[in-house]
Amino acid sequence: MRQAARLDLAAGVTTVRDLGDLGYLALELGLGLDGPEILAAGPPITTPGEHCWFLGGEAAGEREVRAAVRERAARGAHVVKMMVTGGEMTPGSRSHLLQYGPAELSAAAGEAHAHGLPITGHAHCAAGIAAALDAGFDSIEHCSFFTEDYYELDHALIRRLAESGVVASLTAGVAPGAPPPPPRIQARLSAVLEGLSACYAAGVRFVIGTDAGVGPPKPHGVLPYGAEMLVGAGYAPVDVLRAITSVAAETCHVDGRKGMIAPGHDADLLAVAGDPLADITALCRPLAVYRMGRPVIGECS
C-alpha cells in the first residue's frame, strides 16, 4: 500500500480517496509527506457474501448498517463507502442487482451525515443509481448501466442525476499497453463510452474514480490516463481538470484547503510539460510534484 501510494504521488496525485481497504490499513499507513494525503473509507459496507465481502465490511439490516457507519466514524474514516449493487470482481456477485433495500440505504446515509461524513455508493445499474439518489447519497461510484446481458442507458435517470447535483465518480483510465479487460466488460466498452458521453451532455457533476489497484490494467498512478479517456469521450479539458482538482476537493470535503492554488491552501502542486488545456496528455509528463511545499520529482507509471 505504501508503494502504491507513492506511485500516485509520482503521477501528481497529492490526495487520494481510498474506498476499500482491509482492516482499516489505509488509515494507519503513516506516510506523512512521503506520500499523498489519504482520505480513507475503511472496508466498504456490503451484504454478507456479496461484493468485496472479503475486505471485512459485511453488514445486514438497518441495525448492523448503522453500527458499521458508527464504527467507521469512531475509527476516523473520512467517508463511508457502501456497495449498493453487486460488482464484477467478486465471484457470484451480480452488478445488475441491488444488495440493499431503501431502508438500509437511508439508514446508512442518515447515520453518515449525523457524524459529519459524506457517503458514496458503488452502483453498476440504473436501479442502484436511483436507490442511491433516493437515499440521499453524496456521490455515486461508477454510475454504470449494466443489465444481466448487456448495458442499457436510462436517459431520464441521467437527467435526474444531473438535476440532483450528486457527484458521479466516473470510472476512467487504464495503463498504456495493459491487457484487455475480461470479455464481459470488453463487450460493453462501446456502450460504457456512450454512457460517459451522455452524462457529460446532460451536465452531470463528475469526478474521476480510477479503481486503481483492482487489476493489472489499473495500477496506481493511472489518473492522468483517466483524464485523457474522458477528453477522448468528448469532455472539455477544463472540465476534466476541475474534476480532478476543485470538484474532487469539494466532493472529499477538503475544499477549504485543497483543490486550488490560493492563500491558506495546502501547497500541493503539479507542474507538467505542456498546457493541459490544449493537450490533456501533458498530465502524463510531470516535471515536478509538490506536497505541502516540498518538491517530489516523479513521472507517470
Side-chain angles (χ1 to χ4, degrees):
M1 291 176 74
R2 291 188 177 94
Q3 180 183 6
R6 289 172 182 135
L7 287 174
D8 281 320
L9 185 62
V13 180
T14 58
T15 304
V16 172
R17 185 168 76 161
D18 184 281
L19 294 180
D21 67 11
L22 178 65
Y24 298 91
L25 287 174
L27 287 167
E28 301 170 2
L29 287 182
L31 293 173
L33 299 184
D34 291 327
E37 180 169 343
I38 298 175
L39 306 172
I45 299 172
T46 191
T47 45
E50 275 293 341
H51 188 41
C52 290
W53 64 269
F54 43 82
L55 293 176
E58 294 171 303
E62 290 181 59
R63 184 174 179 178
E64 288 188 12
V65 162
R66 288 187 180 277
V69 173
R70 289 194 295 270
E71 178 184 356
R72 282 148 183 77
R75 286 178 173 265
H78 306 90
V79 58
V80 174
K81 166 74 175 297
M82 193 170 193
M83 300 301 195
V84 180
T85 73
E88 293 295 309
M89 63 177 285
T90 303
S93 185
R94 303 293 182 88
S95 293
H96 66 287
L97 297 179
L98 290 170
Q99 292 195 166
Y100 286 106
E104 294 157 314
L105 295 173
S106 295
E111 196 70 37
H113 294 154
H115 287 85
L117 295 176
I119 182 168
T120 191
H122 159 105
H124 266 318
C125 68
I129 297 169
L133 287 173
D134 290 342
F137 278 48
D138 302 287
S139 58
I140 304 173
E141 305 303 311
H142 313 301
C143 286
S144 308
F145 291 87
F146 281 89
T147 64
E148 184 173 7
D149 301 315
Y150 191 56
Y151 201 91
E152 186 175 333
L153 295 182
D154 183 334
H155 290 280
L157 181 57
I158 290 173
R159 289 194 297 271
R160 181 188 170 198
L161 178 60
E163 292 165 0
S164 74
V166 170
V167 173
S169 181
L170 303 177
T171 309
V174 296
R184 174 176 161 82
I185 303 300
Q186 182 74 33
R188 292 163 170 78
L189 278 183
S190 62
V192 171
L193 291 174
E194 182 184 348
L196 292 175
S197 298
C199 285
Y200 187 58
V204 171
R205 202 152 183 263
F206 70 97
V207 296
I208 299 178
T210 62
D211 254 8
V214 300
K218 289 184 171 290
H220 285 265
V222 80
L223 179 63
Y225 302 109
E228 183 179 349
M229 177 179 171
L230 289 189
V231 170
Y235 286 54
V238 66
D239 291 331
V240 172
L241 290 173
R242 287 177 180 138
I244 59 178
T245 54
S246 58
V247 179
E250 186 176 346
T251 302
C252 294
H253 285 200
V254 292
D255 49 309
R257 59 187 178 88
K258 292 183 182 292
M260 63 178 65
I261 301 172
H265 280 55
D266 295 352
D268 291 351
L269 305 169
L270 168 65
V272 300
D275 178 3
L277 290 174
D279 177 12
I280 199 68
T281 67
L283 295 178
C284 294
R285 300 187 294 275
L287 296 176
V289 180
Y290 289 81
R291 175 81 169 89
M292 297 295 287
R294 193 183 78 172
V296 179
I297 303 298
E299 59 186 7
C300 281
S301 304

